[in-house]
Amino acid sequence: MTTSLELLLTTAFIAVVSAALSALVGLPLGFWISRLPVRLARFVAVIVTVPFLLPPFLIGIAVANWTDSFEINALTGMLMILFSHTLMNAGFIARVVASKSLEQEQVEAAVLDGAGRWQIRRQIQIPQLLPSLASASLLVALYSSTSYGLILTLSAGTVETLETEIALAALRDLDLEKAGFLALLQTFLTLGLFFAAKQFAGVPTSMTEISRSSIPAGKVTSITSLLFVALIATLLTNVVSRANWGDGVFANIENLTSRGTRSMLNISVIEAAGNSIRNALVVLVISIPLAWVLSKKAARLSPLLPAGLSPVVIGLVTLSLAGYLPRELTSSWILLPLIQVLFALPIAYQILQPARSVIEREQVYAASLDGAGGFRTAWFIELPQLRKSVATASAFAVLTSLGEFGAASFLAFGSNETLPIVMFQLAGRPGGDNYGMVMASAAIYILLTAFILWLLTRPDRTERQDHPVA
């Protein structure tokens, strides 16, 4: 039987090694992307960022398509998890790197002093990147320590982490004492990673901008980066193409209105998707205005703090407190989106707060002197300048809610089940039409995420004028 210490060490190992591998791949990838032509850089950046925005369990399903012939044991399960985390998060690291470029004067001065490409990278660029790179890597470690759905999907129970054991203790064994102790360990780990990440300088949060680098990329960097992009593209294309499984894509899409082979589901995939969309709209309506208000005020308790909490732990705590909450709330579907606001709020805040901080305060003060209240100032002055940041925050909040699996596995049952829960159930019983339904759902999710990210990264008119495409 695995001890609590072993579970803690396994979870920490997965988090740290995943972050290290993601940084190792993402650093040269970011250098390479920043050297591409503008339109090609945007296209490549979208490809490598899509896995970061997908639910972890969906990445697990995609990787499982490649490894279904492997014998799953503790070693292969661990390797598949680390591989999947790298595929998910290296693109995020690359976007952090690609969004920060050296001043042209620094590069020219270094060249005049006889410095080569690698000397400039090693002695100037990487030291300047270290704070943001360290912060981004620690955030990746945080995300990797809470990828509950991915570990369930890939390891087939051979790799045990704090989150998987919390779920088993609470939902299967009804041992809330054990689950509570493991949840405490998980919370210490994730909060430790979160506060470590907070010690470093800010990470670009919009993920919509790429700075042009004047330092050429080496052949090894170009080749390895191209291979990684091809790997991501193949992974995503493989899932999309498998939507045609069995009787074809149209039959699989039509089957989404059913409850799967032998009616194994409580509700159809379409009904579950409707639940997820409904929840996401509630999350959007609450989290964006709240993030907007908090982004202007110096809160004593950082709005980013929920990012350091595990969704599984939050789900367990909410379930444990259900007896002390109003029955009208605990028996209603509204409870889950209210909890999911905790996960969307840090993302929305982290996008809006830096954007609002750069608005010229003279405009706001002038509006106040002219008699404009806070609402009119925000609507007529701030929002027009921040429309891209607001759109990005809104899209990320919606995607966060749509793909949330950890808390939903504790709080969404019966007719209130969400799309990730239903897809996970189908993936666990792939016979008959179930596999085609999972692939069709996954393909739609991937294409929707890619489309949203493509729209978010589209430069507006002023950016196109300032940075014409060669």
Side-chain angles (χ1 to χ4, degrees):
M1 182 178 178
T2 307
T3 65
S4 300
L5 179 59
E6 290 173 330
L7 291 173
L8 176 63
L9 293 177
T10 300
T11 307
F13 174 82
I14 290 174
V16 172
V17 175
S18 296
L21 291 175
S22 298
L24 187 64
V25 174
L27 184 63
L29 179 62
F31 291 152
W32 180 68
I33 290 176
S34 65
R35 285 293 298 172
L36 296 175
V38 175
R39 290 179 178 174
L40 181 59
R42 177 189 172 204
F43 178 73
V44 171
V46 167
I47 291 177
V48 299
T49 310
V50 165
F52 180 73
L53 297 177
L54 293 176
F57 84 93
L58 204 158
I59 296 296
I61 291 174
V63 173
N65 288 336
W66 285 348
T67 60
D68 52 7
S69 60
F70 288 5
E71 178 185 353
I72 305 300
N73 53 42
L75 177 59
T76 57
M78 178 65 73
L79 292 176
M80 289 165 60
I81 290 169
L82 297 176
F83 174 71
S84 300
H85 281 163
T86 304
L87 291 180
M88 283 180 60
N89 298 309
F92 169 63
I93 299 290
R95 293 302 291 260
V96 171
V97 174
S99 67
K100 293 182 175 291
S101 63
L102 289 175
E103 297 291 338
Q104 184 65 29
E105 293 78 6
Q106 288 183 288
V107 177
E108 291 175 351
V111 171
L112 288 176
D113 288 339
R117 182 183 74 249
W118 287 111
Q119 285 180 299
I120 297 175
R121 294 268 197 225
R122 187 177 66 254
Q123 299 180 13
I124 301 177
Q125 188 171 23
I126 292 179
Q128 293 186 19
L129 274 171
L130 274 180
S132 292
L133 187 62
S135 179
S137 298
L138 285 166
L139 287 175
V140 167
L142 173 62
Y143 300 149
S144 299
S145 69
T146 58
S147 58
Y148 170 62
L150 182 145
I151 293 173
L152 284 183
T153 304
L154 284 179
S155 68
T158 60
V159 177
E160 299 175 344
T161 64
L162 287 170
E163 284 198 325
T164 61
E165 290 305 301
I166 289 170
L168 286 176
L171 300 178
R172 187 192 67 181
D173 303 332
L174 302 180
D175 187 349
L176 293 183
E177 183 178 351
K178 177 182 178 182
F181 177 71
L182 295 178
L184 190 61
L185 292 180
Q186 176 73 28
T187 301
F188 284 147
L189 174 62
T190 53
L191 285 179
L193 293 171
F194 170 76
F195 285 115
K198 287 277 291 177
Q199 298 302 312
F200 295 94
V203 176
T205 50
S206 68
M207 294 203 294
T208 60
E209 299 177 358
I210 296 175
S211 298
R212 299 289 297 152
S213 174
S214 57
I215 308 175
K219 289 185 178 180
V220 175
T221 296
S222 299
I223 293 173
T224 55
S225 299
L226 187 60
L227 289 175
F228 182 79
V229 174
L231 185 65
I232 294 290
T234 303
L235 177 77
L236 300 178
T237 303
N238 180 264
V239 175
V240 174
S241 64
R242 292 198 182 204
N244 199 43
W245 183 272
D247 295 330
V249 61
F250 294 107
N252 290 330
I253 292 177
E254 184 179 356
N255 288 335
L256 298 181
T257 60
S258 71
R259 297 189 179 187
T261 302
R262 298 180 180 178
S263 298
M264 60 161 288
L265 301 174
N266 293 316
I267 57 176
S268 69
V269 177
I270 292 296
E271 290 172 323
N275 290 340
S276 291
I277 293 172
R278 176 197 64 195
N279 293 351
L281 291 177
V282 173
V283 171
L284 177 65
V285 169
I286 296 176
S287 62
I288 298 303
L290 188 56
W292 180 273
V293 172
L294 292 174
S295 66
K296 190 176 181 179
K297 297 181 178 180
R300 292 183 179 180
L301 190 61
S302 172
L304 297 176
L305 186 59
L309 301 176
S310 162
V312 169
V313 173
I314 295 295
L316 173 65
V317 171
T318 305
L319 188 64
S320 301
L321 295 176
Y324 302 95
L325 300 174
R327 183 174 177 79
E328 293 77 13
L329 177 62
T330 57
S331 61
S332 172
W333 61 268
I334 195 66
L335 179 61
L336 178 59
L338 291 179
I339 294 300
Q340 289 177 338
V341 169
L342 292 175
F343 312 130
L345 178 62
I347 298 174
Y349 173 84
Q350 201 171 10
I351 294 171
L352 293 178
Q353 195 277 330
R356 292 192 74 183
S357 66
V358 299
I359 291 181
E360 294 182 5
R361 305 320 300 175
E362 290 78 5
Q363 300 179 45
V364 178
Y365 295 146
S368 299
L369 291 175
D370 290 338
F375 177 80
R376 297 187 65 185
T377 300
W379 185 262
F380 291 106
I381 296 179
E382 294 185 281
L383 269 178
Q385 300 181 58
L386 300 177
R387 61 185 184 276
K388 193 169 185 178
S389 296
V390 172
T392 302
S394 300
F396 280 23
V398 167
L399 290 173
T400 297
S401 175
L402 287 176
E404 199 282 314
F405 181 80
S409 63
F410 283 82
L411 303 176
F413 297 99
S415 61
N416 293 327
E417 289 177 342
T418 59
L419 182 59
I421 298 297
V422 169
M423 289 178 64
F424 182 78
Q425 292 172 353
L426 286 173
R429 299 181 183 178
D433 297 327
N434 294 343
Y435 186 77
M437 294 167 63
V438 171
M439 291 298 106
S441 304
I444 293 172
Y445 203 116
I446 289 171
L447 294 175
L448 176 64
T449 302
F451 179 68
I452 291 174
L453 191 56
W454 179 259
L455 292 179
L456 293 175
T457 57
R458 182 177 59 183
D460 58 29
R461 185 174 301 176
T462 57
E463 288 174 329
R464 287 194 292 268
Q465 291 173 349
D466 294 339
H467 304 284
V469 177

